[in-house]
Amino acid sequence: FEHQNFNAVDFINRVLPDERALAGVDKMIAKLRARVKLVDAEIMGALRAQHGSEARARDDFEVIVSGIDALAERATETERKAAATEANVREICADIVRLDRAKNHLTNSITTLRRLSMFVSGMEQLELFALRRQYGDAANLLQAASQLATHFEGYSQIPKIAELQEKYRGVKNQLRAAVFDDFHTTWLPHVMDGDAAAQKKLRDACLVVNALEPSVREELVGNLTNRELTNYASVFSAHESGDFLGRIARRYDWITRQLQSKESMWAVFPAHWRVPQLLSVSLCKLTRAQLAEALDARGPHDVQKLLHAMHVTIEFEMELDERFGTGAGVEDDELEGDSASASMLRQKLERAEREKQTENLRGGRVLPMDSAAEAAATFMFRGSVGSCFEDHLADYVALERRQLFEQINESIRNETWQGDETNPRILASATSVFLNIKKVFKRCSNLTRGKTLFAVHQVFVHVLIAYAKALNERIDVAALNATDARRPEAQRAAEIKCICLIVNTAEYCNETVGPLGDSMVKSLEDNFKEKVDMMDVEDAFSTTLSEALNKLIGVVEAKSNLVSGMLRVNWGALDVVGDQSEYVDTFERAIAHAMPVLRASVSDIHHTFFCEKLASSIAPKLYIAVFKCKRFSEIGGQQLLLDMHAVKAVLLSLPAIAAAGTDVTAEPSAPPMSYAKMIAREMGKVEALVKTILSPNDGLAETFKALLPMTANATDFKAICLLKGMKPNEISEPPFGLFASVGAPASSKPLEDLPNVPNRPKAPRMDNVTAKMSGMFKQGTKQ
């Protein structure tokens, strides 16, 4: 009933859905009337309650209004008191700030007065220590006085402070003068060795120098170093008479003696000053300058003396590196590869960084004292003197070049061309060449790693290319001897083996050249690394390898006489089909003699390459040779087809024959699938051509087109008609468009280097061969 969308009709229909429900209408009406009375009673009760609450609400409202007024008065009073409190707090804070500022000023004043008192008393003591040269006490007090003087720099306008500052500077100058005087009079071998007190005094003096300005330390070390350099220059100079290279060891012995005999003198200096190292660096620079001047002024120089001087210099530099702990520690070639540890790689990086940092020192630029000592700690003495020889090693490079070429010529002269004793698959001269190159490389890399080593690398390139050319010349000689029928078969087989050994040698050299170039890159300085290029050498040996394999193929073809033997046969005069022809037997014998030698001498990959190239060279020549024959009879064509089957069988058995080392009569194993497909493709063209010649004249053009669809053309068709014995007027034109869009005719291609061949005698008779060939031809034409 309370719903906003109440519908009386819907309500009645829901309560009284059908006629049977009408029986309860009276009861329903009674319930509704009772409900109405209940609602009326609730309404009357609500009206009575509302009438009494209005008076109570009015009273409550008046109470609330009076409470709000009282609260507003309290808020105003609180605000007033808060303002008064804030004013009081501000006054208190201002008093606190003033008192705190006064406290700080008072504290600073007390501290300053105490420091002033310490400064005054310290200066009095420092003057006394300076007067008595008590360097140990003065050093400790000087550090504190230095800090106090720095503190009072802002009070210099005060006369007393200015006086103290002036007195401080005077004491420092007094101490400096005293230290320099004591070093001048006491730092002498005969004084230091016998007076322990003098050593202690100078050690304490070094503490005073540490407390003074860095320029004092630099001046002191510079004076002492200049004294030693003056002594060195009085003994050695760039204008020595006579053999200065032969006396170069005296220089290094003098420096070593100075370092060893004056150890008690070097011990007075703090370790972080590194005075002996700085002196050694200066002596090395002076020595290098004098030697460079002498080398430039005189010349040419004897190579052996120059190399001896370099060896002595390198030994001296390595001794200095070992003495001062600045050696390389780990060579570059030991830091390469997967086995290099993290510490080794870190050493290499640190070494490169040290070389970069000390390059300025090696160039002579003056560094601050601390920086100079730090640079000396990481200075690499290797090359600090020996680099002066770099521009004078052209004669050494020429000597190495001359010796390498002489060794190559001697190796070629002494070469047996039968394999090395340690490695019978390559030539002994190759081992000798790379052994000599390794010796020269090691010898030169121990001397220098700059432009001289790069020049030697270029010599290696020329030497290896010359060796490749010598191998090429020997290939030509061996190929000529192997095809000379006047020579014994054993000698011809030895020449074939020689070519096989050259194949292996060229491959060995090509594989060795790469690591040689990598070693050269590792050894050279950074500005020469990118210039290393072994591509010309690799190309030279690759050319030699390819030339040797091609010569092998040519030798085997020449010994087989396959094509020339086929052209010698008078195919039109044969009247019976016999066994395979004599030229096929010759081809089999040549293969049987050559392949075992070749297989035993070359690697698998080169053997496979040889078999593929030999087969791919023979088949096209046979195809062209068929067109060079005069005329074919029916019997002659069948005999040729039989011969081509035999040649195909021999070519298929090449890998198996060579692998087993047997003759062609042995049962061959299955050839590789790709090789068999190539043989079937190439020899299938020859067989298809012969089958075309054997086909009837009627429909000859269509047969030619069907059997040789990729090569059929009108010119070859006419040549086939002539081979069949047809006269020119009997040859009909092929149907229009039958041979359109095909390649050049094979009948017009030349066969090079083929001798004039006479007619071959008739072949012996063999029963059932004719019937066998007829069945083979019919089966082939159906396919």
Side-chain angles (χ1 to χ4, degrees), residues 760-772:
R760 177 188 178 232
K762 294 183 179 180
R765 184 181 183 88
M766 182 176 179
D767 297 335
N768 297 328
V769 174
T770 303
K772 183 191 299 183

Side-chain angles (χ1 to χ4, degrees), residues 56-77:
R56 289 193 301 271
R58 188 178 302 109
D59 294 340
D60 294 339
F61 180 73
E62 291 176 357
V63 172
I64 291 172
V65 170
S66 60
I68 291 175
D69 293 339
L71 182 61
E73 291 177 0
R74 292 182 182 180
T76 303
E77 182 65 19

Side-chain angles (χ1 to χ4, degrees), residues 669-689:
S669 59
M673 184 64 68
S674 59
Y675 178 77
K677 289 182 179 180
M678 186 270 293
I679 295 296
R681 182 180 65 253
E682 298 298 329
M683 290 302 298
K685 297 177 183 179
V686 183
E687 294 175 348
L689 178 61

Side-chain angles (χ1 to χ4, degrees), residues 488-509:
E489 185 61 33
Q491 184 177 359
R492 298 171 69 182
E495 295 296 336
I496 293 177
K497 182 179 179 181
C498 173
I499 299 177
C500 295
L501 292 177
I502 293 177
V503 170
N504 297 334
T505 301
E507 182 182 22
Y508 164 77
C509 294

Side-chain angles (χ1 to χ4, degrees), residues 89-358:
V89 170
R90 285 197 181 97
E91 292 177 0
I92 295 172
C93 290
D95 294 338
I96 293 173
V97 169
R98 285 193 297 271
L99 292 174
D100 186 63
R101 189 180 299 115
K103 177 185 176 182
N104 291 337
H105 290 324
L106 183 59
T107 303
N108 292 336
S109 299
I110 294 172
T111 303
T112 303
L113 289 174
R114 287 178 178 176
R115 290 179 179 177
L116 180 60
S117 176
M118 294 170 58
F119 196 14
V120 171
S121 62
M123 290 307 304
E124 292 176 355
Q125 296 179 16
L126 194 58
E127 286 179 332
L128 180 61
F129 293 152
L131 182 63
R132 296 178 180 178
R133 297 192 178 185
Q134 297 178 359
Y135 296 126
D137 297 330
N140 296 328
L141 192 56
L142 190 60
Q143 293 178 357
S146 175
Q147 296 176 359
L148 293 173
T150 303
H151 174 73
F152 284 106
E153 285 181 356
Y155 304 92
S156 299
Q157 69 277 11
I158 302 175
K160 181 62 177 178
I161 300 299
E163 181 182 351
L164 285 174
Q165 293 281 17
E166 186 64 27
K167 184 183 293 186
Y168 171 68
R169 286 189 288 269
V171 171
K172 288 199 303 181
N173 292 332
Q174 184 180 356
L175 286 171
R176 174 187 172 280
V179 169
F180 276 62
D181 180 66
D182 284 339
F183 266 100
H184 180 72
T185 58
T186 309
W187 199 71
L188 298 172
H190 64 278
V191 177
M192 298 293 294
D193 292 340
D195 191 355
Q199 297 180 15
K200 183 178 184 307
K201 184 177 182 179
L202 292 185
R203 279 196 293 268
D204 292 341
C206 290
L207 298 179
V208 172
V209 174
N210 262 338
L212 295 174
E213 291 82 3
S215 59
V216 178
R217 171 184 161 191
E218 184 174 354
E219 183 179 359
L220 176 63
V221 176
N223 290 341
L224 300 178
T225 303
N226 290 334
R227 183 194 301 181
E228 297 297 321
L229 293 177
T230 302
N231 295 335
Y232 178 83
S234 65
V235 180
F236 307 101
S237 68
H239 306 287
E240 297 179 19
S241 60
D243 184 15
F244 75 99
L245 289 175
R247 297 193 299 271
I248 195 172
R250 293 176 52 201
R251 295 173 175 265
Y252 307 138
D253 292 340
W254 188 93
I255 296 175
T256 303
R257 284 196 304 272
Q258 295 301 311
L259 294 175
Q260 292 177 350
S261 63
K262 296 182 179 181
E263 288 185 354
S264 60
M265 300 173 64
W266 307 125
V268 303
F269 300 104
H272 69 275
W273 284 20
R274 303 187 186 276
V275 176
Q277 288 169 263
L278 289 172
L279 175 61
S280 300
V281 171
S282 299
L283 288 172
C284 289
K285 290 167 58 180
L286 180 58
T287 303
R288 183 187 184 283
Q290 291 183 355
L291 291 179
E293 183 179 354
L295 289 170
D296 293 338
R298 310 177 192 184
H301 305 283
D302 182 74
V303 175
Q304 297 302 327
K305 292 183 178 180
L306 197 63
L307 293 179
H308 175 71
M310 290 191 67
H311 282 294
V312 173
T313 301
I314 292 172
E315 290 178 359
F316 169 70
E317 293 170 345
M318 294 176 65
E319 289 177 359
L320 290 181
D321 279 330
E322 184 177 359
R323 173 185 291 273
F324 298 115
T326 57
V330 182
E331 293 295 332
D332 285 345
D333 54 356
E334 297 177 0
L335 295 174
E336 301 293 336
D338 297 335
S339 60
S341 65
S343 60
M344 296 168 63
L345 295 175
R346 191 182 305 110
Q347 290 180 27
K348 180 179 179 181
L349 295 176
E350 291 176 354
R351 176 184 172 190
E353 186 65 23
R354 289 199 306 267
E355 292 177 351
K356 182 178 180 181
Q357 291 177 354
T358 58

